[in-house]
Amino acid sequence: MKYTILAATLAATVAASPSHHHQHHHAKKNAPNKVEKRAPDAVTQVVVGPTATVYQLDGKILDADKAAAGLADGEYVVVGETTPTYVPPPPPPPPSSTPATTSSAGGMKAQFIEEPSSSSAPPTTTSAPPPPPTTTAQPTSSSAPPPPKSSKPAQPSPPSGGSGLNADFPSGKIPCSHFPSDYGAVPLEWLGTGGWSGLQFVPGYSADSQSISDIITGIVGDTCKSGGMCSYACPPGYQKTQWPSAQGSTLQSIGGLYCNSDGFLELTRPDHPKLCEAGAGGVTIQNDLDDSVCTCRTDYPGIESMVIPACATAGQTIPLCNPDESDYYVWDGKSTSAQYYVNKKGYGVADACVWNSPLDPKGAGNWSPVILGVGKTAGGLTFLSIFQNLPTSTALLDFNIEITGDVNSKCSYINGVWTGGNNGCTTAMPAGGSAVIRYF
C-alpha cells in the first residue's frame, strides 16, 4: 500500500539535522557583517532562523529515517507542504554613517524580508532572530499578471562557461587583480565587483584562524584586494570549491579564494586544487517555453545573494548543479544543499540574478516567485523541492513547472496550483537516476 504524507517546513531557532531530507534554505543576507557605505533607505527585517522538514502520517510525526526510507521505496508519497508564516519584528534602526560590527545568530538557513530600495547595493541586517513562528498553509492565486517590462538598454548575456575547468589553480601565483576565468571561474560583470560573485573583507583572518569576527561585505565598485575573500561563479552543473575552514564567529558563511598580504590569490581548500567541480549530477532544467528563464543560485558559502546564473534559452536543456553533501559545505556542523531562485520568463540576467532587481523590485531576484532546492544526501537520495517564496514574496510565476524522470512522486506547479494544493512539493531521486525540472 502507498501512504500519503504531508511534509511540513518548520521554523526553528536551532537547526535540525538535514541528513534525511532536503532542507528549504532561504538565504540570509549579510546578517552579522560589518558593512560599509550602505544605502540609508534600505530596511531589512529578520524573518526566522533555520528550517527543518518533518513528515506527518495521519496526523502523527514520522521518524525522519523511516520517512526517507519510505519515500525512497515508494511506500510514501508527499501530498503537500506547509510553510511558516509570522508577524515580523520592527525594523532595525537606520544605519549610522560609520561602519559598525553587528551580531546575530546568522546562517545559511535564516530568512529575511527586505523593503525594495532604489539602491542596487543589497542592505545588511542588524536584528537577532525572533522566536519560532506558527506554521500554517498559505493560499496562492494565479490571477495576478506579471509586471510590465520596462524599456531599457540591452542586458548582458548570461556568461559562458569559464575555460580551464580541469586546470589546477596555482595558489599564491595569480594577482588578485586578475579574475581567474582561465581556471574555470565565470565572471559576473553586471554586479560591478570585478567579475567576483561576492567580496568579504576579513582583516583579522590568517590561515590559523578558528573563526572570523570582523567581516566587511564588498559593494558595487569594490574588487578583490588584500585581506579579502573573493567568491566566484562556475558554469552550470559546477560549483565553487573554495571556502576557509574558519567561518563567521556568529555563524556567518564565508567563501572564496583569499587575497593575501602580497596581493596574490590563495586556495582556501588546498586539497581541492580546481576552482570548480561538478556536482553529483542527474538533474537538468528543460525550458520548453518560448522565452528564456534564469534560475539563480545563492552565492553560498559567501554573501548569499542569488547571483549564480543558470539561464536556459527557449527550447534549451542545461545541467543544474546538485551538491553532494559528502563533499560540500558544512554549516554549524550540518550538511547543506543548493538553493535556486526561479525568475519569470524573459528576464535578463542582470534583472534576475541579483538581490534587488531594477526591473521588478517585488517579483525578481530575492523576491522571485519560486525557490528550488536540490541536494544529494550521504545515503544516495537526491531531494528536489519547489516552493513558493513565502513570506518574502507574493509574486506569481508566469509559467508551469514539473519535476519528472526517476522520481518517486509527482511534484509540480501547474496553472497556479501546487501538487497537493499547498505551497510547494518535494520529491526524491535514487542514486544513479535522473530528474528533469521542466518549464512549460
Side-chain angles (χ1 to χ4, degrees), residues 236-238 279-285 295-297 309-310 318-323 338 340 372-374 384 437 439:
Y238 289 79
V283 182
T284 57
I285 289 175
T295 305
C296 309
R297 183 176 176 174
I318 61 172
L320 193 71
C321 189
N322 173 19
Y340 299 85
L372 163 66
V374 179
L384 304 102
I437 301 163
Y439 300 156

Side-chain angles (χ1 to χ4, degrees), residues 288-311:
D288 288 337
L289 296 165
D290 58 0
D291 212 337
S292 62
V293 176
C294 282
T295 305
C296 309
R297 183 176 176 174
T298 55
D299 180 28
Y300 183 76
I303 67 168
E304 304 183 33
S305 190
M306 51 295 298
V307 297
I308 312 294
C311 298

Side-chain angles (χ1 to χ4, degrees), residues 26-29 31 41-49 86-93 104 110-116 123-130 355 366-367 391-392:
H26 185 104
K28 96 175 152 52
K29 186 59 183 170
D41 57 343
V43 178
T44 301
Q45 297 172 311
V46 177
V47 177
V48 70
Y86 79 112
V87 177
S104 71
Q111 294 188 3
F112 295 86
I113 295 177
E114 293 189 75
E115 298 297 333
T124 185
T125 59
T126 57
S127 300
W355 185 271
N366 184 55
W367 289 266
T392 301

Side-chain angles (χ1 to χ4, degrees), residues 230-312:
C230 306
S231 189
Y232 55 92
C234 292
Y238 289 79
Q239 62 191 1
K240 76 181 178 198
T241 61
Q242 301 302 305
W243 54 83
S245 58
Q247 293 285 294
S249 58
T250 51
L251 301 183
Q252 308 96 315
S253 77
I254 300 171
L257 294 164
Y258 178 62
C259 181
N260 66 26
S261 59
D262 295 323
F264 289 88
L265 295 167
E266 293 182 356
L267 294 169
T268 46
R269 295 175 79 207
D271 56 337
H272 287 68
K274 295 175 176 59
L275 296 190
C276 297
E277 291 180 348
V283 182
T284 57
I285 289 175
Q286 178 179 318
N287 181 12
D288 288 337
L289 296 165
D290 58 0
D291 212 337
S292 62
V293 176
C294 282
T295 305
C296 309
R297 183 176 176 174
T298 55
D299 180 28
Y300 183 76
I303 67 168
E304 304 183 33
S305 190
M306 51 295 298
V307 297
I308 312 294
C311 298

Side-chain angles (χ1 to χ4, degrees), residues 123-349:
T124 185
T125 59
T126 57
S127 300
T134 302
T135 300
T136 58
Q138 290 290 319
T140 60
S141 168
S142 59
S143 60
K149 298 181 182 180
S150 63
S151 58
K152 51 189 302 183
Q155 295 241 353
S157 300
S160 58
S163 62
L165 278 169
N166 295 320
D168 287 353
F169 184 77
S171 185
K173 304 296 185 183
I174 304 295
C176 302
S177 57
H178 176 77
F179 184 84
S181 55
D182 40 354
Y183 292 92
V186 177
L188 309 184
E189 302 293 356
W190 65 91
L191 298 180
T193 49
W196 302 96
S197 58
L199 299 169
Q200 294 169 295
F201 300 108
V202 288
Y205 170 79
S206 73
D208 298 326
S209 296
Q210 299 299 307
S211 64
I212 303 172
S213 58
D214 193 6
I215 306 167
I216 304 170
T217 301
I219 62 173
V220 174
D222 286 337
T223 190
C224 187
K225 62 184 179 181
S226 292
M229 291 290 175
C230 306
S231 189
Y232 55 92
C234 292
Y238 289 79
Q239 62 191 1
K240 76 181 178 198
T241 61
Q242 301 302 305
W243 54 83
S245 58
Q247 293 285 294
S249 58
T250 51
L251 301 183
Q252 308 96 315
S253 77
I254 300 171
L257 294 164
Y258 178 62
C259 181
N260 66 26
S261 59
D262 295 323
F264 289 88
L265 295 167
E266 293 182 356
L267 294 169
T268 46
R269 295 175 79 207
D271 56 337
H272 287 68
K274 295 175 176 59
L275 296 190
C276 297
E277 291 180 348
V283 182
T284 57
I285 289 175
Q286 178 179 318
N287 181 12
D288 288 337
L289 296 165
D290 58 0
D291 212 337
S292 62
V293 176
C294 282
T295 305
C296 309
R297 183 176 176 174
T298 55
D299 180 28
Y300 183 76
I303 67 168
E304 304 183 33
S305 190
M306 51 295 298
V307 297
I308 312 294
C311 298
T313 58
Q316 187 180 23
T317 296
I318 61 172
L320 193 71
C321 189
N322 173 19
D324 187 333
E325 70 172 33
S326 300
D327 192 33
Y328 187 51
Y329 178 68
V330 174
W331 176 84
D332 195 26
K334 301 167 182 67
S335 300
T336 59
S337 56
Q339 179 168 285
Y340 299 85
Y341 286 65
V342 182
N343 283 267
K344 300 169 190 175
K345 64 181 180 179
Y347 282 19
V349 68

